[in-house]
Amino acid sequence: MVGQPVAGVAVGLGGLWAVGQDSAAPYKARALRIAALGGSAAVGLLAGATALRHGDIAVIAALLAAAGLVSGWVSVGGPLASVAGMHLLLGATVGTGIPVPGPWWAGPLELLGGALFALALTCLPWLWRRNSPEREAVIAVFDAAEQALSRAGTSGATEARARMTLALNTAQDLLAVHSSRKHAERPTHIGGLIVAFRAAVHLVEAATALVVEGRPLPPAVVRVPSLLAARVVPPVRGGRPAPAEAAEELEPPFTADTPALRALAEVYRAPGHALTLLPDPPAYEGPRLAERLRFALLLGGCTLVAVVVAHLLHGPRGYWLPMTVAFLYKPDLGPVFGRALNRCLGTVAGVGMVALVAWLVAEQWALTLVAAAFGAVMAAGVRYHYALSTFGLTVIVFVFIDFLGDDRQLLPSRVLETVIAAALVLTAHFLTRPDSWRVRAELRVAAADRAWRRYDRRAPTASPDERHQLRRTAYRRLAEARQALDTAGAEPHRDPDRFPVLERRVARAEQGCDAITAYVVAGGRS
């Protein structure tokens, strides 16, 4: 509207990256994530634009190699650091490949402004649904418990119990963002959610014992989680339940004739009464120095090779190849092989769509609407499938660079560059770290073994809080082991017989945890 399409592209790119990294986390965590993304991308863009103004390919290559080293070193430091590290490299790549006119500070500020605009839109619902992610996560635990009770005595009971554990993990992670000591005893909405989470903890323990009993349950028992949720989960705009209502002891709508049913009846009468504190999830275990250094060198080396190849192919328009390397080489986001394959598929489909759009649409406002439409496609792909996300992103990026006057004749070569980047990343990954996910899976399984055996030794004599902590840690480690095995199984590997052995170990550990929980609920009786 103001006649500055280049500035609009920079703002749009910042917003695009911010939306691509948004999640369903609490608003505080989402704000930190987007702010870190915007700040690191702006710093990278500033460094890249400065190198581009110098004009020497050696300076550009050195800058991007250094950005790759820093990005690799930072990225393994946790989820927030991973986002910041990747977008530092992305910003530097765009800065060295797309000339941004105007003063040196304009492009980085515009990019940061786009990210902050997306942050404002993301956090706007905080005004009227402040703790909705936490509330939905707590309700999901009660729903999962009801599903587990309905599957008791059937072949799907174990899987339903695993989903219940995952739901409890998610709720614990979201509520741990808040200080339990600060909020738990206050009559606030988050205080009410912490009380509801305490009830969910005891409900899950009783539900696990009922699943272990292995017999179908009557409807009166199955609907207990929904009745409990109606009592203890605060309404959308309310605080915690009124003291009289919360303390009211109601008789359960079923006959408590087994230890597990008696435990469920106790939760129904006084939900959350014994758990005094919401425990924080286990702290992130930082990577070893060798792991940081290895990934930093790999990513920096891949970026340098990508810059050299891109310069030989396209000269100053060679940003696509190193940018694809930055997107692809993220082992913490899942199997590298799957990401590379889906990136290629999404790029091919996106380039085909761009060719169709270029043939049908020429007016700038129409192209803006096309970018908006495929922004929605990309946002959906972020949640559901990486190839769909890449498809939407490819269309938007080509619309953006068309505003900047990029040559459309480069369109077909972008597919080749994506394939080259994928081949480069896969070669580096599988030549230097061919068993990285298998090793990670073995470490996760070993940690799960230690956690459930510790639960076995200490649970019978532990206090309710300590027992909860032991059980939550054991089930969390088991869930992490399952996830690591699923990811490792999606990578090409040289020892396929190893994974069934690890899966059987995890299955036995899950059965052991369930049996211990039932034993404790039964008061130490078999």
Side-chain angles (χ1 to χ4, degrees):
M1 290 176 66
V2 300
Q4 297 291 332
V6 175
V9 167
V11 173
L13 192 61
L16 182 72
W17 287 347
V19 170
Q21 291 296 324
D22 198 10
S23 65
Y27 287 104
K28 179 181 177 181
R30 295 165 76 178
L32 287 174
R33 188 180 183 90
I34 295 177
L37 175 155
S40 59
V43 170
L45 182 65
L46 176 60
T50 302
L52 183 63
R53 284 187 170 91
H54 190 278
D56 190 342
I57 181 58
V59 174
I60 293 175
L63 180 277
L64 287 180
L69 285 169
V70 174
S71 175
W73 181 271
V74 170
S75 290
V76 294
L80 188 63
S82 175
V83 169
M86 179 174 72
H87 287 83
L88 174 71
L89 181 54
L90 287 174
T93 303
V94 171
T96 57
I98 302 178
V100 180
W104 61 269
W105 47 264
L109 277 184
E110 289 158 359
L111 185 72
L112 180 60
L116 295 179
F117 178 61
L119 173 61
L121 293 179
T122 294
C123 294
L124 186 63
W126 177 86
L127 296 174
W128 62 86
R129 51 198 302 263
R130 185 164 301 182
N131 300 119
S132 60
E134 296 92 330
R135 184 176 186 274
E136 290 165 5
V138 171
I139 291 176
V141 180
F142 288 93
D143 292 341
E146 186 163 343
Q147 287 293 319
L149 293 177
S150 68
R151 298 290 190 276
T154 70
S155 58
T158 301
E159 183 181 352
R161 200 277 308 148
R163 288 197 297 268
M164 181 174 64
T165 299
L166 288 175
L168 197 61
N169 286 346
T170 301
Q172 184 181 19
D173 289 341
L174 295 187
L175 286 172
V177 173
H178 310 277
S179 169
S180 56
R181 296 179 189 277
K182 175 182 177 182
H183 293 285
E185 304 306 326
R186 294 183 180 179
T188 61
H189 190 265
I190 196 66
L193 289 177
I194 291 174
V195 171
F197 177 79
R198 292 173 179 171
V201 167
H202 292 290
L203 173 65
V204 167
E205 189 173 42
T208 301
L210 286 167
V211 169
V212 171
E213 286 186 357
R215 60 188 180 93
L217 299 170
V221 174
V222 172
R223 68 170 182 266
V224 164
S226 59
L227 296 175
L228 270 176
R231 287 174 57 197
V232 300
V233 178
V236 174
R237 301 184 64 87
R240 69 169 64 201
E245 178 185 348
E248 182 181 2
E249 293 193 4
L250 303 175
E251 283 303 313
F254 57 86
T255 302
D257 54 0
T258 69
L261 286 175
R262 284 193 289 273
L264 185 65
E266 183 180 350
V267 176
Y268 187 84
R269 294 190 187 99
H273 63 92
L275 201 64
T276 59
L277 193 64
L278 173 69
D280 292 336
Y284 173 75
E285 298 178 3
R288 294 171 297 180
L289 179 62
E291 182 74 10
R292 279 185 178 272
L293 185 59
R294 183 190 300 117
F295 185 60
L297 291 174
L298 283 174
L299 186 55
C302 286
T303 304
L304 180 59
V305 174
V307 172
V308 173
V309 174
H311 181 72
L312 294 175
L313 290 174
H314 300 303
R317 294 300 196 199
Y319 54 86
W320 190 269
L321 213 161
M323 183 174 70
T324 305
V325 167
F327 274 118
L328 276 182
Y329 208 177
K330 296 293 295 174
D332 58 306
L333 297 182
V336 176
F337 180 79
R339 285 177 66 82
L341 178 62
N342 287 319
R343 187 85 192 178
C344 292
L345 294 175
T347 301
V348 169
V351 166
M353 180 58 67
V354 169
L356 179 62
V357 169
W359 181 51
L360 296 175
V361 180
E363 204 271 326
Q364 197 171 76
W365 278 107
L367 287 173
T368 303
L369 294 177
V370 168
F374 281 92
V377 173
M378 188 211 73
V382 167
R383 295 291 183 92
Y384 298 110
H385 203 281
Y386 187 58
L388 181 63
S389 172
T390 302
F391 170 64
L393 176 66
T394 301
V395 177
I396 302 168
V397 169
F398 274 111
V399 170
F400 282 178
I401 61 181
D402 190 65
F403 286 172
L404 301 176
D406 202 332
D407 191 354
R408 289 188 180 183
Q409 293 179 354
L410 293 178
L411 195 63
S413 67
R414 298 310 188 192
V415 176
L416 174 62
E417 290 178 76
T418 301
V419 174
I420 292 174
L424 180 63
V425 166
L426 290 176
T427 301
H429 182 67
F430 287 111
L431 281 181
T432 60
R433 311 172 71 193
D435 297 325
S436 59
W437 275 105
R438 180 186 63 80
V439 172
R440 184 177 300 186
E442 289 179 343
L443 292 174
R444 294 288 189 271
V445 172
D449 272 338
R450 291 193 298 271
W452 87 265
R453 293 182 189 282
R454 186 164 55 248
Y455 176 41
D456 182 19
R457 291 193 307 271
R458 300 181 183 177
T461 58
S463 66
D465 278 349
E466 185 183 0
R467 187 178 73 243
H468 164 74
Q469 184 66 48
L470 291 167
R471 182 169 56 83
R472 295 297 311 120
T473 301
Y475 279 116
R476 179 180 291 275
R477 295 290 179 255
L478 286 167
E480 290 170 352
R482 280 282 184 199
Q483 186 177 19
L485 283 172
D486 290 342
T487 305
E491 291 271 33
H493 41 265
R494 297 176 295 183
D495 187 14
D497 295 334
R498 180 64 175 154
F499 290 98
V501 174
L502 294 174
E503 288 171 354
R504 286 194 293 271
R505 283 178 60 187
V506 173
R508 284 197 297 268
E510 288 173 339
Q511 293 170 359
C513 270
D514 292 347
I516 297 162
T517 300
Y519 176 82
V520 171
V521 167
R525 295 184 299 276
S526 299

